[in-house]
């Protein structure tokens, strides 16, 4: 009964697929003479994990076995004439099988799984003609003093990990090895065996995997923190009471409408508030949607210099402005609402003219560069500033609609409305 059960288990267990690589596939005429005459075979990137039938190819000198699934180098022991062996990008974890290749000059083993540098150096010492060696991207390459130890053990090397070994480097390594050997002897006498560091235990691929796991854990923790913060925000919004003082009443709307009619420059419209929001955000470094009272002085200064390019500046001193904006911290919606209680006036003519000149300069620069879309934006800003400069502060420009569309008092559309007076030449350019 147990035998039947074990047989069923064996049948259900997937068996590893074995793919054998042979050099016969590299020669057009498959006979012993052709095999004896072959000195180089290319068997790269074919996915095999074992080697076989190399015994007839006794004169091989160059063998390319890179980018396969090899875990060992068994199968080429009898090919002792091999000089250049390329085994990079496999899964090799041991150098057993190389001992007979006494004529090796080039050995490429980077991107494999070799561990224990001292053990592998004992095997590599058996190749007196070895001048080129690649071991990078292996766990052995991450051991302490890796390069110095390899150069010291293999003094005939000329190229290690694609880097030339100079005479000066060899002299330095020789001096270092004496101190290193003495230090190792002292440590062995009275100290316990030290645990290996993670850099000596794990390969590059394993390290990347652990790093990815840590990043996933950190992301999950951050998601939990964000969810808690969102929940707190939802609770806070539920508890937040309606403040009627932050919304204009019918009486206030009528006052604003009257102010707009009497003096259109004294009020900031919604489009201009949108421009002011960019200035407000510059003082909200923590992105909380509010600013503290100590930043109000700088914000007032930017408004007085018309950095938002709306053509208007506050007509009240800072003390009055601060009295209106007394909430601390001052959120954007409160600031936006309290602007209705601050009188504005046309910006000084020298400031407006300077800005207009700058806008036209940028307009011409972008137009000459072929960037008509960007140039048009600067032209629109220049025209708006010209309109603010030339507008009568105590009279709204008379607008004649071409259809029965309701007129908005906070903006105008070039394509649907036009002033009774003629546009400037620059404004006419925009309508082309």
């Amino acid at each position: 009964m147990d035998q039947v059960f074990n047989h069923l288990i064996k049948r259900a267990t997937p068996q590893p697929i074995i793919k054998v690589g042979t050099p016969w596939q590299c020669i057009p005429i498959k006979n012993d003479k052709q095999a004896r005459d072959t000195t180089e075979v290319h068997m790269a990137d074919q996915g095999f994990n074992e080697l076989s039938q190399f015994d007839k190819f006794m004169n091989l000198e160059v063998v390319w076995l890179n980018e396969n699934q090899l875990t060992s180098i068994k199968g080429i022991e009898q090919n002792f004439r091999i000089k250049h062996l390329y085994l990079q990008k496999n899964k090799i974890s041991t150098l057993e099988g190389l001992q007979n290749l006494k004529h090796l000059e080039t050995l490429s083993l980077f991107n494999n799984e070799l561990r224990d540098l001292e053990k592998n150096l004992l095997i590599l010492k058996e190749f007196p003609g070895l001048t080129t060696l690649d071991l990078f991207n292996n766990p052995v390459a991450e051991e302490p003093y890796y390069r110095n130890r390899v150069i010291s053990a293999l003094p005939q090397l000329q190229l290690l990990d694609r880097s030339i070994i100079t005479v000066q480097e060899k002299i330095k390594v020789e001096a270092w090895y004496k101190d290193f050997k003495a230090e190792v002897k002292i440590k062995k006498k009275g100290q316990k065996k030290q645990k290996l560091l993670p850099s000596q235990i794990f390969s590059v691929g394993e390290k990347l995997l652990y790093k990815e796991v840590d990043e996933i854990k950190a992301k999950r923790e951050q998601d939990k923190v964000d969810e808690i913060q969102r929940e707190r925000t939802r609770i806070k919004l539920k508890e937040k009471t309606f403040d009627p003082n932050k919304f204009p009443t019918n009486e206030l709307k009528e006052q604003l409408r009257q102010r707009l009619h009497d003096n259109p420059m004294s009020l900031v419209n919604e489009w201009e508030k949108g421009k002011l929001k960019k200035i407000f955000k510059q003082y909200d470094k923590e992105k909380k949607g509010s600013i503290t009272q100590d930043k109000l002085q700088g914000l007032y200064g930017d408004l007085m210099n018309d950095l938002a390019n709306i053509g208007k500046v506050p007509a009240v001193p800072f003390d009055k402005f601060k009295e209106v904006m007394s909430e601390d911290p001052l959120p954007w919606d409160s600031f936006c609402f309290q602007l209705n209680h601050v009188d504005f006036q046309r910006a000084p003519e020298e400031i407006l003219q300077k800005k207009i000149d700058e806008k036209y300069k940028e307009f011409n620069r972008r137009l000459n560069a072929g960037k008509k879309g960007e140039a048009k934006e600067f032209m629109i800003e220049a025209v708006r500033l010209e309109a603010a400069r030339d507008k009568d502060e105590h009279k709204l420009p008379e607008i004649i609609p071409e259809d029965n569309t309701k007129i908005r008092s906070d903006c105008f559309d070039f394509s649907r409305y036009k002033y009774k007076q003629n546009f400037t030449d620059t404004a006419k350019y925009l309508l082309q």
Side-chain angles (χ1 to χ4, degrees), residues 183-198:
E183 185 180 346
V184 169
K185 284 183 179 179
I186 294 172
K187 286 184 178 180
K188 282 183 178 179
K189 285 184 178 179
Q191 293 185 358
K192 295 181 180 179
K193 189 176 180 180
Q194 294 182 352
K195 292 183 178 180
L196 291 175
L197 298 172

PDB file of all heavy atoms in Angstrom, residues 183-198:
ATOM      1  N   GLU A 183      46.801  40.468  11.019  1.00  0.00           N
ATOM      2  CA  GLU A 183      45.556  40.794  11.724  1.00  0.00           C
ATOM      3  C   GLU A 183      44.666  39.570  11.874  1.00  0.00           C
ATOM      4  O   GLU A 183      44.047  39.359  12.918  1.00  0.00           O
ATOM      5  CB  GLU A 183      44.819  41.891  10.941  1.00  0.00           C
ATOM      6  CG  GLU A 183      43.583  42.400  11.635  1.00  0.00           C
ATOM      7  CD  GLU A 183      42.893  43.486  10.828  1.00  0.00           C
ATOM      8  OE1 GLU A 183      43.520  44.022   9.884  1.00  0.00           O
ATOM      9  OE2 GLU A 183      41.723  43.790  11.142  1.00  0.00           O
ATOM     10  N   VAL A 184      44.610  38.729  10.834  1.00  0.00           N
ATOM     11  CA  VAL A 184      43.799  37.509  10.899  1.00  0.00           C
ATOM     12  C   VAL A 184      44.336  36.569  11.967  1.00  0.00           C
ATOM     13  O   VAL A 184      43.579  35.948  12.723  1.00  0.00           O
ATOM     14  CB  VAL A 184      43.770  36.828   9.521  1.00  0.00           C
ATOM     15  CG1 VAL A 184      43.166  35.433   9.629  1.00  0.00           C
ATOM     16  CG2 VAL A 184      42.993  37.670   8.531  1.00  0.00           C
ATOM     17  N   LYS A 185      45.642  36.452  12.065  1.00  0.00           N
ATOM     18  CA  LYS A 185      46.242  35.573  13.074  1.00  0.00           C
ATOM     19  C   LYS A 185      45.896  36.037  14.484  1.00  0.00           C
ATOM     20  O   LYS A 185      45.577  35.236  15.369  1.00  0.00           O
ATOM     21  CB  LYS A 185      47.759  35.545  12.890  1.00  0.00           C
ATOM     22  CG  LYS A 185      48.223  34.707  11.718  1.00  0.00           C
ATOM     23  CD  LYS A 185      49.746  34.665  11.661  1.00  0.00           C
ATOM     24  CE  LYS A 185      50.209  33.803  10.484  1.00  0.00           C
ATOM     25  NZ  LYS A 185      51.698  33.755  10.396  1.00  0.00           N
ATOM     26  N   ILE A 186      45.948  37.356  14.704  1.00  0.00           N
ATOM     27  CA  ILE A 186      45.626  37.898  16.031  1.00  0.00           C
ATOM     28  C   ILE A 186      44.168  37.633  16.372  1.00  0.00           C
ATOM     29  O   ILE A 186      43.824  37.244  17.506  1.00  0.00           O
ATOM     30  CB  ILE A 186      45.929  39.411  16.073  1.00  0.00           C
ATOM     31  CG1 ILE A 186      47.433  39.639  15.930  1.00  0.00           C
ATOM     32  CG2 ILE A 186      45.408  40.035  17.355  1.00  0.00           C
ATOM     33  CD1 ILE A 186      47.828  41.083  15.769  1.00  0.00           C
ATOM     34  N   LYS A 187      43.281  37.794  15.411  1.00  0.00           N
ATOM     35  CA  LYS A 187      41.852  37.586  15.651  1.00  0.00           C
ATOM     36  C   LYS A 187      41.543  36.132  15.954  1.00  0.00           C
ATOM     37  O   LYS A 187      40.686  35.812  16.767  1.00  0.00           O
ATOM     38  CB  LYS A 187      41.043  38.060  14.446  1.00  0.00           C
ATOM     39  CG  LYS A 187      40.953  39.564  14.325  1.00  0.00           C
ATOM     40  CD  LYS A 187      40.063  39.966  13.160  1.00  0.00           C
ATOM     41  CE  LYS A 187      39.934  41.474  13.086  1.00  0.00           C
ATOM     42  NZ  LYS A 187      39.074  41.904  11.967  1.00  0.00           N
ATOM     43  N   LYS A 188      42.255  35.204  15.285  1.00  0.00           N
ATOM     44  CA  LYS A 188      41.973  33.783  15.476  1.00  0.00           C
ATOM     45  C   LYS A 188      42.366  33.298  16.866  1.00  0.00           C
ATOM     46  O   LYS A 188      41.830  32.305  17.364  1.00  0.00           O
ATOM     47  CB  LYS A 188      42.717  32.965  14.414  1.00  0.00           C
ATOM     48  CG  LYS A 188      42.056  32.975  13.057  1.00  0.00           C
ATOM     49  CD  LYS A 188      42.795  32.086  12.086  1.00  0.00           C
ATOM     50  CE  LYS A 188      42.089  32.069  10.724  1.00  0.00           C
ATOM     51  NZ  LYS A 188      42.812  31.216   9.751  1.00  0.00           N
ATOM     52  N   LYS A 189      43.307  33.970  17.519  1.00  0.00           N
ATOM     53  CA  LYS A 189      43.799  33.501  18.803  1.00  0.00           C
ATOM     54  C   LYS A 189      42.772  33.622  19.911  1.00  0.00           C
ATOM     55  O   LYS A 189      42.489  32.651  20.618  1.00  0.00           O
ATOM     56  CB  LYS A 189      45.065  34.274  19.181  1.00  0.00           C
ATOM     57  CG  LYS A 189      46.282  33.825  18.395  1.00  0.00           C
ATOM     58  CD  LYS A 189      47.523  34.556  18.868  1.00  0.00           C
ATOM     59  CE  LYS A 189      48.758  34.064  18.095  1.00  0.00           C
ATOM     60  NZ  LYS A 189      49.989  34.782  18.517  1.00  0.00           N
ATOM     61  N   GLY A 190      42.236  34.822  20.112  1.00  0.00           N
ATOM     62  CA  GLY A 190      41.387  35.019  21.291  1.00  0.00           C
ATOM     63  C   GLY A 190      39.947  35.354  21.037  1.00  0.00           C
ATOM     64  O   GLY A 190      39.195  35.559  21.998  1.00  0.00           O
ATOM     65  N   GLN A 191      39.526  35.429  19.797  1.00  0.00           N
ATOM     66  CA  GLN A 191      38.162  35.846  19.518  1.00  0.00           C
ATOM     67  C   GLN A 191      37.316  34.687  19.026  1.00  0.00           C
ATOM     68  O   GLN A 191      37.817  33.736  18.442  1.00  0.00           O
ATOM     69  CB  GLN A 191      38.155  36.962  18.456  1.00  0.00           C
ATOM     70  CG  GLN A 191      38.771  38.255  18.960  1.00  0.00           C
ATOM     71  CD  GLN A 191      38.637  39.362  17.935  1.00  0.00           C
ATOM     72  OE1 GLN A 191      38.122  39.132  16.846  1.00  0.00           O
ATOM     73  NE2 GLN A 191      39.091  40.552  18.283  1.00  0.00           N
ATOM     74  N   LYS A 192      36.014  34.796  19.340  1.00  0.00           N
ATOM     75  CA  LYS A 192      35.069  33.803  18.846  1.00  0.00           C
ATOM     76  C   LYS A 192      34.790  34.052  17.371  1.00  0.00           C
ATOM     77  O   LYS A 192      35.055  35.123  16.835  1.00  0.00           O
ATOM     78  CB  LYS A 192      33.761  33.884  19.636  1.00  0.00           C
ATOM     79  CG  LYS A 192      33.919  33.523  21.088  1.00  0.00           C
ATOM     80  CD  LYS A 192      32.560  33.613  21.780  1.00  0.00           C
ATOM     81  CE  LYS A 192      32.696  33.255  23.250  1.00  0.00           C
ATOM     82  NZ  LYS A 192      31.387  33.350  23.958  1.00  0.00           N
ATOM     83  N   LYS A 193      34.256  33.035  16.763  1.00  0.00           N
ATOM     84  CA  LYS A 193      33.913  33.141  15.344  1.00  0.00           C
ATOM     85  C   LYS A 193      32.798  34.160  15.151  1.00  0.00           C
ATOM     86  O   LYS A 193      31.747  34.082  15.787  1.00  0.00           O
ATOM     87  CB  LYS A 193      33.461  31.781  14.808  1.00  0.00           C
ATOM     88  CG  LYS A 193      33.300  31.752  13.309  1.00  0.00           C
ATOM     89  CD  LYS A 193      32.956  30.371  12.829  1.00  0.00           C
ATOM     90  CE  LYS A 193      32.784  30.338  11.323  1.00  0.00           C
ATOM     91  NZ  LYS A 193      32.448  28.977  10.834  1.00  0.00           N
ATOM     92  N   GLN A 194      33.035  35.153  14.306  1.00  0.00           N
ATOM     93  CA  GLN A 194      32.058  36.210  14.087  1.00  0.00           C
ATOM     94  C   GLN A 194      30.983  35.761  13.098  1.00  0.00           C
ATOM     95  O   GLN A 194      31.245  34.965  12.197  1.00  0.00           O
ATOM     96  CB  GLN A 194      32.745  37.461  13.540  1.00  0.00           C
ATOM     97  CG  GLN A 194      33.701  38.086  14.530  1.00  0.00           C
ATOM     98  CD  GLN A 194      34.317  39.361  13.969  1.00  0.00           C
ATOM     99  OE1 GLN A 194      34.124  39.666  12.801  1.00  0.00           O
ATOM    100  NE2 GLN A 194      35.030  40.088  14.795  1.00  0.00           N
ATOM    101  N   LYS A 195      29.807  36.288  13.330  1.00  0.00           N
ATOM    102  CA  LYS A 195      28.714  36.015  12.401  1.00  0.00           C
ATOM    103  C   LYS A 195      28.918  36.794  11.113  1.00  0.00           C
ATOM    104  O   LYS A 195      29.416  37.913  11.121  1.00  0.00           O
ATOM    105  CB  LYS A 195      27.373  36.408  13.027  1.00  0.00           C
ATOM    106  CG  LYS A 195      26.968  35.541  14.194  1.00  0.00           C
ATOM    107  CD  LYS A 195      25.603  35.954  14.703  1.00  0.00           C
ATOM    108  CE  LYS A 195      25.158  35.056  15.844  1.00  0.00           C
ATOM    109  NZ  LYS A 195      23.825  35.454  16.360  1.00  0.00           N
ATOM    110  N   LEU A 196      28.512  36.187  10.032  1.00  0.00           N
ATOM    111  CA  LEU A 196      28.632  36.849   8.734  1.00  0.00           C
ATOM    112  C   LEU A 196      27.630  37.982   8.623  1.00  0.00           C
ATOM    113  O   LEU A 196      26.502  37.885   9.117  1.00  0.00           O
ATOM    114  CB  LEU A 196      28.405  35.849   7.601  1.00  0.00           C
ATOM    115  CG  LEU A 196      29.491  34.788   7.418  1.00  0.00           C
ATOM    116  CD1 LEU A 196      29.053  33.808   6.343  1.00  0.00           C
ATOM    117  CD2 LEU A 196      30.824  35.400   7.059  1.00  0.00           C
ATOM    118  N   LEU A 197      28.059  39.061   8.001  1.00  0.00           N
ATOM    119  CA  LEU A 197      27.163  40.178   7.753  1.00  0.00           C
ATOM    120  C   LEU A 197      26.169  39.802   6.657  1.00  0.00           C
ATOM    121  O   LEU A 197      26.433  38.915   5.841  1.00  0.00           O
ATOM    122  CB  LEU A 197      27.968  41.403   7.318  1.00  0.00           C
ATOM    123  CG  LEU A 197      28.966  41.946   8.346  1.00  0.00           C
ATOM    124  CD1 LEU A 197      29.824  43.021   7.695  1.00  0.00           C
ATOM    125  CD2 LEU A 197      28.252  42.497   9.567  1.00  0.00           C
ATOM    126  N   PRO A 198      25.009  40.484   6.627  1.00  0.00           N
ATOM    127  CA  PRO A 198      24.042  40.208   5.551  1.00  0.00           C
ATOM    128  C   PRO A 198      24.641  40.367   4.163  1.00  0.00           C
ATOM    129  O   PRO A 198      24.291  39.648   3.233  1.00  0.00           O
ATOM    130  CB  PRO A 198      22.939  41.245   5.807  1.00  0.00           C
ATOM    131  CG  PRO A 198      23.022  41.523   7.269  1.00  0.00           C
ATOM    132  CD  PRO A 198      24.471  41.423   7.616  1.00  0.00           C
TER     133      PRO A 198
END
